[in-house]
Amino acid sequence: MENEQSFSDICGGRLALQRRYYSPSCREFCLSSPRLSLRSLTVVTSTVWLAAYGLFTVCENSVVLSAAIFITLLGLLGYLHFVKIDQETLLIIDSLGIQMTSSYASGKESTTFIEMDKKVIYYLCILLKDPVEPHEISQVVPVFQSAKPRLDCLIEVYRSCQEILAHQKAPSTSPQAHQKAPSTSPSIQKASIVSRGK
Amino acid sequence: MVLKAFFPTCCAAADSGLLVGRWVPEQSSAVVLAVVHFPFIPSQVKEFLAQVQQTSQVGVAVLGTWCHRRQEPEDNLGHFLEGLSAIFSHEPWLQLCREKGSTFWSCKATRWQGSTSPGAPSEDQVMIVFYDQRKVLLSQLHPPAILPDQETGDAAAGAVGLAAVFHTVARSEVLFRSDRFDEGPVRLSHWQSDGVEASILVELAKWASGPICLLLASLLSLVSAVSACWLFKLWPLPFIWSKLSTCEQLRYRLEQLTLIFSPQKAENPSQRMRKANMCVSVLLDVALGLTLLSWLHGKGRIEQLADALVPVADRVAEELQHLLQWLMGAPAGLKMNRALDQVLGRFFLYHIHLWISYIHLMSPFIERIVWHVGLSACLGLTVSLSILSDIIALLTFHIYCFYVYGARLYCLKICGLSSLWRLFRGKKWNVLRQRVDSCSYDLDQLFIGTLLFTILVFLLPTTALYYLVFTLLRLLVITVQGLIHLLVDLINSLPLYALGLRLCRPYRLAAGVKFRVLEQEAGRPLRLLMQINPLSYGRVVHTYRLPRYGCHPTHSWGSLCRKLFFGELIYPWRQREDKQD
């Protein structure tokens, strides 16, 4: 069964979530980000080439122009192959484990598989935005570290916090330390809290 | 728990028969290794499996039946297969079935013991995971699931999780030795059932490697015995050997070659990889060296090089002389102390004059020397680079001497200044207690102390300037030598065989596994394909990097600046000898 829904990420960009239920013991979730937009590509390329042309008129050396083309091509290839992630997939298989795949715009895929032997712990954390750089996270603060409640309790807490924070966001003035909405991140802890088998 | 059946892809087209493999109860997974075909005698099958179990220490057993219906449904076969569960009892009993022309399989796993209603079997939910037997057999997990010292005995129980699957397949090589052309009591289907893979070249190389290794090992032991001879231990030869990086490099290569050609076989995979990496690194080195040799000896380049060497040395000396003349005048507008300036300047100028005379004395022999040094490239590019670094060190020996003189003078001055400054304030350094104590001086002591202090303070700029200039020159030479050493280190320690393996046979170096869900149909068991997730290039280099000789300077920038300020001498390379005492 396939199911598609659209959400938005923390910066406001559009995301598409695709759910596939292969069998009662196997499910896949696929999040796709928006593709590389033609507008941003054109803007960057024209800026670089205009700058190169400006340099060319100053120093009269055509090597500058070829170098600019080379750099643009290499930069684009490197960006597509190493930076731009198009899709992230989470595959859960009962009694085997969880597999996470990121596929880049150039087609490269990097996969991590975490076995079911390792315990999976859910935690609720507060992500603090950096006051200087609005798109960066400056701190991750986990809550309920000693109590370690289960997912149902965490969902309850999360929903209530979201209601209150929604009220706080309505008046648009906000102090410097911008507190971000708490997010449940099903996070897998491997090293310290590993418990084999049962 | 859901029962996982690991099925090899090579057996998916095999005829009907018995499934043979290992059952791992902790993870409720059945690893199928091979399929036994009809006709067979149950007692012979049991005997064969007992033999395999004894040899490979893996608990191989009959896990169930495999039914591949090529024609119209054969009911006789179905009943016959069901009767087999009584002969080879195994809990749970797997029954895999594949219809003709259908990609979907049916699978049943029945348990007789522990079922809720006695007399009726309970069925488990099954998941089929396909794996490529050849790739899983040849791959190596990083980090290794079983440590080398646990290999013997009941090590099969040690691997947890999916590593158990890898371990089972790897240890069951005995099972894969018989192919379908053998006339044995039991007919098996597995990845080698179409004939055991082998290559004539590999077999010939293995056969020839024995005597060649013995010969080369004896040659190398002869060479090491000669080099350990007492003649070479007479002073000052050991001192010279320790300073030349060529000797270090030759010693390193000799050690590596001894390891490669040692007649003992490598015990575990990491030793084998290390040997292979060393071998490829030596081969590449020699290949690059021979390229350099052919380039040097063509078109009279040696004469050009030799002709250019003496003028270059002359030019360097001339530039140094200009520099000293500039320092003896009014460098950068600073006013120097004339007398000290003249003394130091003349001393260094005489030194340069001596040096140039020696170079000119040697100039007729330079071409011969360069020709012979060029020959050393056939030992490897690293040896040539080390010789180049040593030649640079020898040609700039005068800069090194100037640096030492300037540093020592500056150091003395700083020591004197600090001690006299303490006297100025009425304090003294207590050697016994290693601290500064107050002290009452006599008037004449104070008078002379103050006088000397003033003299030293006013002479400080001159000495400091000479020290600064020569330290900068020395640092420049050290940087050039450092770059050459970096290149040599790179060639020495890069694991080229491992990188090549990662490029061409990525399944050999496995970081883990990844799963792909195959076509599904409602009501049928889940089918997955297990593939090997290869190690990333960075981790390959990190895991298989070869050890280097010597090391980079271990002092941090802070301690370096401190040493420079106080005039202590900097020794850039810590040779091996320092580490051995």
Side-chain angles (χ1 to χ4, degrees):
Chain A
M1 284 177 273
E2 283 204 23
N3 198 339
E4 184 148 348
Q5 225 182 320
S6 70
F7 291 90
S8 60
D9 67 11
I10 52 171
C11 306
R14 292 191 58 77
L15 291 174
L17 174 70
Q18 232 188 0
R19 273 182 278 236
R20 277 188 218 123
Y21 289 171
Y22 291 112
S23 94
S25 55
C26 176
R27 283 177 214 180
E28 190 177 44
F29 298 97
C30 184
L31 261 180
S32 350
S33 340
R35 309 265 171 163
L36 182 66
S37 75
L38 196 58
R39 179 188 297 187
S40 59
L41 180 65
T42 324
V43 163
V44 171
T45 317
S46 358
T47 330
V48 173
W49 285 0
L50 277 173
Y53 192 70
L55 252 166
F56 170 68
T57 47
V58 167
C59 63
E60 303 284 339
N61 193 355
S62 66
V63 169
V64 173
L65 293 175
S66 357
I69 296 175
F70 204 54
I71 289 172
T72 325
L73 269 175
L74 278 183
L76 182 66
L77 283 175
Y79 178 70
L80 289 178
H81 195 73
F82 293 111
V83 178
K84 179 93 184 68
I85 295 183
D86 259 350
Q87 235 184 30
E88 282 177 302
T89 317
L90 186 78
L91 173 70
I92 300 188
I93 308 170
D94 182 19
S95 83
L96 258 184
I98 302 183
Q99 174 171 290
M100 292 169 290
T101 316
S102 325
S103 36
Y104 291 84
S106 64
K108 170 172 110 163
E109 282 190 5
S110 92
T111 321
T112 332
F113 180 72
I114 295 163
E115 293 192 58
M116 209 49 118
D117 274 6
K118 325 246 173 171
K119 219 174 180 182
V120 175
I121 299 176
Y122 288 90
Y123 66 82
L124 180 66
C125 71
I126 304 179
L127 298 172
L128 297 174
K129 259 199 221 177
D130 200 27
V132 178
E133 304 259 340
H135 290 284
E136 301 269 316
I137 311 272
S138 73
Q139 227 184 336
V140 174
V141 184
V143 286
F144 299 138
Q145 276 191 304
S146 61
K148 294 200 193 71
R150 284 197 176 224
L151 190 59
D152 38 10
C153 170
L154 286 175
I155 289 178
E156 212 23 75
V157 173
Y158 173 65
R159 288 221 175 100
S160 321
C161 286
Q162 282 289 66
E163 278 173 26
I164 297 179
L165 278 171
H167 292 168
Q168 199 187 38
K169 267 197 193 158
S172 54
T173 53
S174 45
Q176 309 165 329
H178 218 67
Q179 213 189 29
K180 239 235 123 256
S183 56
T184 31
S185 10
S187 159
I188 321 289
Q189 287 188 16
K190 279 203 249 184
S192 47
I193 320 184
V194 120
S195 73
R196 297 264 179 98
K198 314 79 181 177
Chain B
M1 256 215 275
V2 177
L3 195 148
K4 299 168 284 254
F6 288 90
F7 196 81
T9 45
C10 49
C11 295
D15 288 332
S16 316
L18 285 175
L19 292 171
V20 159
R22 181 183 164 215
W23 166 248
V24 185
E26 299 91 30
Q27 290 131 44
S28 174
S29 49
V31 184
V32 174
L33 293 169
V35 175
V36 175
H37 295 299
F38 308 113
F40 57 81
I41 303 174
S43 56
Q44 283 184 338
V45 172
K46 286 188 188 171
E47 211 183 283
F48 175 72
L49 288 178
Q51 265 178 5
V52 168
Q53 194 162 349
Q54 202 182 21
T55 329
S56 65
Q57 311 275 344
V58 173
V60 184
V62 175
L63 295 172
T65 55
W66 160 246
C67 177
H68 191 186
R69 295 208 177 113
R70 293 182 195 272
Q71 289 92 24
E72 290 311 307
E74 300 157 357
D75 291 316
N76 302 342
L77 193 62
H79 287 312
F80 177 55
L81 286 175
E82 290 195 11
L84 282 172
S85 67
I87 309 176
F88 301 100
S89 54
H90 187 267
E91 284 284 316
W93 185 252
L94 267 181
Q95 284 165 297
L96 292 171
C97 184
R98 184 181 180 183
E99 306 288 330
K100 169 184 118 107
S102 154
T103 45
F104 303 108
W105 296 18
S106 69
C107 188
K108 249 191 326 179
T110 47
R111 260 179 219 275
W112 286 94
Q113 293 172 0
S115 60
T116 45
S117 49
S122 68
E123 284 199 13
D124 283 342
Q125 218 192 352
V126 185
M127 188 159 66
I128 307 179
V129 182
F130 294 103
Y131 70 97
D132 190 328
Q133 208 165 44
R134 175 170 171 267
K135 292 193 176 169
V136 169
L137 180 74
L138 292 174
S139 79
Q140 232 178 300
L141 277 175
H142 300 83
I146 306 249
L147 299 165
D149 49 321
Q150 283 179 6
E151 281 282 316
T152 57
D154 192 18
V160 194
L162 288 162
V165 175
F166 282 78
H167 187 75
T168 309
V169 177
R171 293 290 289 248
S172 318
E173 281 205 60
V174 177
L175 197 61
F176 302 136
R177 280 204 202 126
S178 59
D179 53 33
R180 69 181 168 153
F181 304 108
D182 276 347
E183 300 288 331
V186 170
R187 260 195 342 133
L188 289 171
S189 249
H190 46 74
W191 70 282
Q192 279 194 331
S193 51
D194 277 338
V196 176
E197 260 187 18
S199 151
I200 290 209
L201 291 172
V202 170
E203 297 300 315
L204 276 176
K206 279 192 195 163
W207 180 82
S209 67
I212 290 182
C213 275
L214 275 173
L215 180 68
L216 284 168
S218 53
L219 264 174
L220 286 168
S221 58
L222 192 69
V223 170
S224 7
V226 163
S227 68
C229 168
W230 63 272
L231 260 173
F232 293 113
K233 297 249 195 297
L234 298 171
W235 200 90
L237 287 172
F239 179 72
I240 299 179
W241 298 153
S242 69
K243 292 295 171 223
L244 289 176
S245 58
T246 317
C247 298
E248 282 300 318
Q249 179 64 21
L250 284 171
R251 199 183 305 178
Y252 179 70
R253 277 286 181 239
L254 193 66
E255 259 179 40
Q256 276 192 336
L257 286 172
T258 323
L259 190 64
I260 297 175
F261 292 119
S262 73
Q264 294 160 313
K265 270 186 92 64
E267 283 123 44
N268 53 22
S270 69
Q271 275 192 1
R272 252 176 283 161
M273 285 293 279
R274 180 182 279 208
K275 264 194 174 183
N277 280 323
M278 277 188 198
C279 195
V280 173
S281 158
V282 167
L283 282 173
L284 180 77
D285 201 13
V286 171
L288 285 174
L290 288 173
T291 322
L292 181 69
L293 191 70
S294 66
W295 179 82
L296 264 183
H297 280 255
K299 289 199 198 162
R301 288 215 179 83
I302 297 233
E303 286 87 29
Q304 285 176 12
L305 209 66
D307 286 339
L309 215 60
V310 174
V312 162
D314 270 343
R315 180 74 200 278
V316 167
E318 221 181 277
E319 292 298 320
L320 270 178
Q321 277 174 339
H322 284 308
L323 182 68
L324 283 169
Q325 299 286 359
W326 178 70
L327 281 176
M328 288 195 338
L334 295 167
K335 192 163 187 311
M336 302 270 105
N337 179 288
R338 249 192 120 57
L340 184 62
D341 218 358
Q342 296 286 327
V343 163
L344 286 176
R346 290 220 184 105
F347 175 63
F348 290 137
L349 277 172
Y350 182 62
H351 216 98
I352 293 176
H353 172 78
L354 275 177
W355 186 248
I356 289 298
S357 320
Y358 287 139
I359 297 270
H360 281 281
L361 228 91
M362 287 236 307
S363 60
F365 306 112
I366 293 230
E367 196 187 317
R368 284 283 107 199
I369 294 174
V370 172
W371 192 88
H372 283 104
V373 159
L375 268 189
S376 75
C378 60
L379 287 173
L381 184 68
T382 43
V383 177
S384 310
L385 285 174
S386 316
I387 291 185
L388 180 70
S389 155
D390 286 336
I391 288 179
I392 290 179
L394 282 175
L395 283 181
T396 55
F397 190 63
H398 47 339
I399 296 182
Y400 176 62
C401 286
F402 293 168
Y403 164 70
V404 172
Y405 300 150
R408 286 273 183 246
L409 207 61
Y410 180 75
C411 182
L412 269 171
K413 180 154 276 191
I414 293 287
C415 283
L417 270 176
S418 54
S419 140
L420 288 172
W421 171 246
R422 273 180 234 124
L423 180 138
F424 214 54
R425 287 156 47 219
K427 298 210 190 284
K428 173 179 97 151
W429 175 253
N430 191 339
V431 186
L432 272 171
R433 298 263 181 105
Q434 295 285 316
R435 65 166 190 211
V436 178
D437 277 340
S438 64
C439 172
S440 60
Y441 292 98
D442 297 338
L443 196 62
D444 46 357
Q445 281 177 333
L446 275 176
F447 181 63
I448 296 181
T450 316
L451 209 62
L452 285 171
F453 178 73
T454 335
I455 293 174
L456 284 178
V457 162
F458 289 133
L459 289 179
L460 187 63
T462 319
T463 336
L465 195 68
Y466 273 89
Y467 172 64
L468 184 70
V469 167
F470 291 128
T471 311
L472 285 175
L473 282 174
R474 174 83 185 133
L475 285 177
L476 184 68
V477 171
I478 288 179
T479 317
V480 171
Q481 277 193 299
L483 286 171
I484 297 180
H485 278 264
L486 209 66
L487 190 59
V488 167
D489 256 347
L490 189 70
I491 301 179
N492 273 343
S493 67
L494 203 63
L496 287 163
Y497 178 72
L499 283 173
L501 209 61
R502 168 65 182 87
L503 197 65
C504 307
R505 305 252 187 280
Y507 57 84
R508 292 279 295 264
L509 304 168
V513 295
K514 55 187 180 196
F515 289 92
R516 197 156 65 92
V517 184
L518 299 172
E519 264 185 72
Q520 293 305 305
E521 200 183 43
R524 301 282 197 165
L526 183 68
R527 294 184 321 143
L528 298 167
L529 178 66
M530 181 171 89
Q531 290 165 316
I532 302 205
N533 201 11
L535 214 52
S536 66
Y537 287 101
R539 290 239 6 234
V540 170
V541 170
H542 182 75
T543 320
Y544 290 109
R545 178 186 283 205
L546 293 168
R548 301 183 269 204
Y549 72 86
C551 58
H552 292 283
T554 50
H555 21 86
S556 60
W557 290 107
S559 73
L560 186 72
C561 287
R562 202 184 132 271
K563 279 195 181 182
L564 282 176
F565 184 70
F566 285 114
E568 288 170 31
L569 289 175
I570 318 167
Y571 295 106
W573 318 118
R574 279 248 215 99
Q575 302 292 338
R576 236 143 147 256
E577 301 217 6
D578 291 355
K579 285 202 275 189
Q580 272 169 9
D581 46 283

